[in-house]
């Protein structure tokens, strides 16, 4: 298989680090913040502007551009046998409300850099290669997360997403239609299309690789995740006149419920259960009115799904014991994902070559604490991920950063992997 790995090696060696770093910086200007972070929530006008920019970049590389019903953008480089299912790489284009330059964006830019490198080196591949920018991976503006990739894999999910609303009551379906209308010249493509394989390059967003001093991670899987909305119902009343024992204070109820959930998490620290009560909405949110309603979100994760079953039973028990004053909705649930061994072996070889060439330690296997679009693609085709370290393990924070050389190594590893897969 000399020609196969030969062109994979050529692709790896053709990655241009300077062009890569400047492409990352250019995409980061869309929603760039004074503190160095990026605020580019899904389908905002800033996100739509970044999509126009990516379309221009892809067209300048000779790519065909397509969009599907969930506004997932695909940038396609033809193969010798164009009718064969493509190899897909890329990631999500949206960020957290206060995000960084790399979460998602790095994988999209990496895909375009690989296409530029293949063009430079005059390498053609048997199969087409596609780079995707998924819609709404974060789930921070409209819940749940990974809407684009989950709908691509199972289009029947899209209808259930359309009525999700953001904090200003904008419907996802309306934002989606506006996004599609904003790129009239881009042809529509089918969802659930056959893919021969998918590889996503992403920052680790945690401290493991950095603490181990290892520049690349072979992602073996992704932990389970569930999201809930908990709503505590009380009665608005006057803060000054209402005796403490005559209140139905929704905040008092929410705080006590939250404490019980943190208590559950503390007793399951050994299972590495992770609990985040990230978004709170108080109504009427007035300094001198007893809250009539408090709604908060629950993000709970664990490698072991049975621990999340126990958490959910505990939470539902608390709601049931509250005599109708607590309502609960689960709006995101994903069991653990495991990537297939043959894909892990290929990534180990690809990443291993990049590290060896740089005189750096070999890649290590790592489970992802963050969820990714790849978790749904794994239901659709052979899928895997490559990680680079995050400085101080920080992400979902403006200070998110990765050593530029690690970013370069990651794209080299991805280039080998994608090119090898596109020649199989
Ligand atoms: O929340 C997550 O795990 C992903 O980074 N959106
Ligand atoms: Mn991400
Ligand atoms: Mn994220
Ligand atoms: Mn992701």
């Amino acid at each position: 298989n000399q020609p196969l790995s030969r062109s994979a090696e050529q692709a790896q060696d053709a990655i241009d680090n300077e062009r890569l770093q400047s492409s990352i910086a250019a995409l980061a200007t869309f929603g760039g913040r004074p503190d160095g972070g990026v605020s580019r929530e899904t389908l905002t006008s800033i996100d739509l502007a970044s999509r126009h920019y990516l379309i221009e970049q892809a067209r300048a590389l000779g790519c065909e551009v397509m969009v599907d019903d969930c506004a997932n953008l695909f940038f396609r480089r033809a193969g010798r046998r164009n009718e064969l299912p493509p190899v897909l790489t890329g990631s999500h284009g949206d960020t957290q409300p206060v995000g960084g330059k790399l979460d998602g964006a790095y994988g999209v830019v990496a895909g375009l850099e690989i296409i530029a490198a293949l063009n430079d080196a005059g390498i053609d591949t048997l199969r087409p290669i596609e780079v995707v920018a998924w819609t709404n991976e974060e789930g921070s503006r409209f819940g749940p997360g990974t809407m684009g990739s989950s709908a691509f894999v199972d289009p029947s999910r899209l209808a259930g997403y359309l009525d999700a609303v953001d904090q200003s009551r904008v419907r996802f379906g309306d934002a989606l239609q506006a996004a599609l209308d904003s790129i009239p010249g881009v042809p529509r493509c089918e969802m659930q299309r056959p893919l021969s394989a998918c590889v996503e390059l992403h920052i680790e967003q945690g401290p493991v690789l950095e603490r181990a001093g290892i520049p690349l991670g072979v992602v073996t899987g992704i932990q389970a995740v569930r999201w809930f909305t908990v709503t505590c119902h009380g009665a608005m009343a006057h803060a000054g006149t209402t005796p403490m024992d005559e209140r139905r204070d929704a905040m008092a109820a929410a705080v006590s419920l939250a404490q019980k959930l943190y208590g559950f998490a503390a007793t399951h620290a050994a299972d590495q259960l992770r609990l985040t009560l990230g978004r709170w909405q108080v109504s009427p949110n007035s300094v001198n009115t007893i809250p009539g309603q408090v709604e908060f979100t629950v993000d709970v994760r664990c490698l072991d799904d049975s621990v999340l079953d126990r958490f959910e039973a505990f939470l539902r028990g608390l709601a049931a014991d509250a005599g109708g004053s607590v309502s609960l909705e689960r709006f995101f649930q994903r069991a653990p994902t495991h990537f297939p061994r043959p894909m892990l072996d290929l990534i180990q070889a690809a990443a291993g070559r990049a590290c060896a060439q740089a005189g750096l330690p070999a890649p290590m296997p790592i489970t992802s604490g963050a969820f990714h679009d790849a978790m749904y693609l794994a239901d659709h085709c052979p899928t895997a991920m490559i990680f680079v370290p995050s400085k101080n393990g920080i992400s979902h924070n403006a200070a998110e950063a990765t050593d530029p050389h690690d970013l370069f190594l990651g794209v080299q590893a991805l280039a080998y992997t994608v090119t090898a897969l596109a020649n199989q």
Side-chain angles (χ1 to χ4, degrees):
N1 63 0
Q2 181 56 21
L4 181 142
S5 65
R6 183 73 205 104
S7 56
E9 290 167 359
Q10 281 175 325
Q12 185 166 69
D13 298 343
I15 296 300
D16 178 327
N17 192 20
E18 224 175 287
R19 182 172 57 197
L20 169 67
Q21 304 298 341
S22 61
S23 301
I24 291 170
L27 183 51
T29 61
F30 293 88
R33 294 162 47 90
D35 59 8
V38 175
S39 177
R40 188 172 65 238
E41 288 197 279
T42 196
L43 302 186
T44 55
S45 54
I46 288 173
D47 183 29
L48 300 195
S50 75
R51 287 159 169 259
H52 282 111
Y53 162 76
L54 289 170
I55 289 168
E56 278 161 25
Q57 295 300 304
R59 283 186 171 143
L61 292 170
C63 293
E64 185 191 345
V65 180
M66 305 172 291
V67 67
D68 71 13
D69 290 346
C70 199
N72 296 311
L73 276 177
F74 296 89
F75 310 125
R76 180 181 169 93
R77 183 181 196 257
R80 288 192 302 276
R81 297 270 311 278
N82 244 358
E83 77 285 0
L84 292 176
V87 173
L88 181 70
T89 188
S91 188
H92 57 96
D94 62 309
T95 74
Q96 284 284 316
V98 181
K101 295 184 171 68
L102 300 170
D103 180 2
Y106 171 49
V108 177
V109 167
L112 292 174
E113 168 53 32
I114 287 167
I115 289 179
L118 290 169
N119 292 349
D120 292 349
I123 297 171
D124 65 8
T125 54
L126 178 72
R127 297 174 177 279
I129 292 170
E130 291 188 13
V131 180
V132 63
W134 295 115
T135 298
N136 193 22
E137 185 275 348
E138 295 291 354
S140 56
R141 183 182 178 200
F142 302 104
T146 58
M147 278 189 182
S149 49
S150 59
F152 173 84
V153 170
D154 176 354
S156 71
R157 292 179 175 129
L158 182 54
Y161 295 154
L162 299 179
D163 289 333
V165 290
D166 69 4
Q167 306 282 299
S168 358
R169 314 296 300 165
V170 172
R171 274 180 75 250
F172 176 74
D174 297 334
L176 175 61
Q177 193 52 57
L180 293 168
D181 295 347
S182 76
I183 44 174
V186 175
R188 195 64 60 93
C189 59
E190 289 299 303
M191 296 206 274
Q192 213 172 36
R193 288 181 291 130
L195 300 173
S196 83
C198 173
V199 190
E200 180 172 1
L201 173 62
H202 205 286
I203 52 173
E204 178 202 329
Q205 302 182 285
V208 174
L209 289 173
E210 183 182 58
R211 286 183 190 156
I214 301 276
L216 292 183
V218 180
V219 184
T220 54
I222 299 177
Q223 71 175 338
V225 55
R226 296 187 198 182
W227 285 2
F228 302 85
T229 302
V230 178
T231 308
C232 297
H233 307 277
M236 290 187 210
H238 195 292
T241 58
T242 315
M244 289 306 278
D245 61 358
E246 293 176 26
R247 295 177 175 216
R248 285 177 46 225
D249 180 345
M251 183 53 82
V255 165
S256 121
L257 205 156
Q259 288 297 2
K260 291 186 182 110
L261 298 181
Y262 283 122
F264 182 99
T267 58
H268 290 75
D271 301 302
Q272 295 191 50
L273 180 133
R274 290 174 183 159
L275 174 69
T276 308
L277 310 184
R279 184 171 64 219
W280 290 66
Q281 283 172 289
V282 184
S283 88
N285 216 24
S286 158
V287 64
N288 47 357
T289 296
I290 299 168
Q293 178 172 304
V294 173
E295 179 186 286
F296 62 90
T297 55
V298 177
D299 173 325
V300 65
R301 317 225 189 163
C302 194
L303 295 167
D304 178 348
D305 217 18
S306 69
V307 172
L308 297 191
D309 288 338
R310 288 207 294 281
F311 174 88
E312 181 160 350
F314 179 68
L315 173 57
R316 291 190 183 283
L318 293 174
D321 294 350
S325 67
V326 174
S327 52
L328 196 55
E329 186 212 349
R330 191 181 78 188
F331 63 104
F332 195 18
Q333 183 272 333
R334 175 77 199 184
T337 302
H338 303 287
F339 296 124
R341 169 57 47 203
M343 290 294 281
L344 303 184
D345 293 344
L346 173 58
I347 285 182
Q348 186 72 36
R353 181 177 183 271
C355 294
Q357 276 186 321
L360 292 170
M364 67 177 270
I366 181 169
T367 304
S368 179
F371 63 72
H372 298 282
D373 297 301
M375 68 188 179
Y376 281 103
L377 274 292
D379 295 343
H380 184 69
C381 67
T383 297
M385 294 186 75
I386 303 169
F387 270 178
V388 294
S390 289
K391 281 202 175 130
N392 307 312
I394 296 286
S395 182
H396 286 193
N397 179 311
E400 176 185 281
T402 295
D403 178 301
H405 188 257
D406 292 342
L407 293 173
F408 173 56
L409 279 174
V411 180
Q412 287 193 312
L414 184 71
Y416 185 108
T417 309
V418 166
T419 306
L421 289 167
N423 281 324
Q424 284 171 4

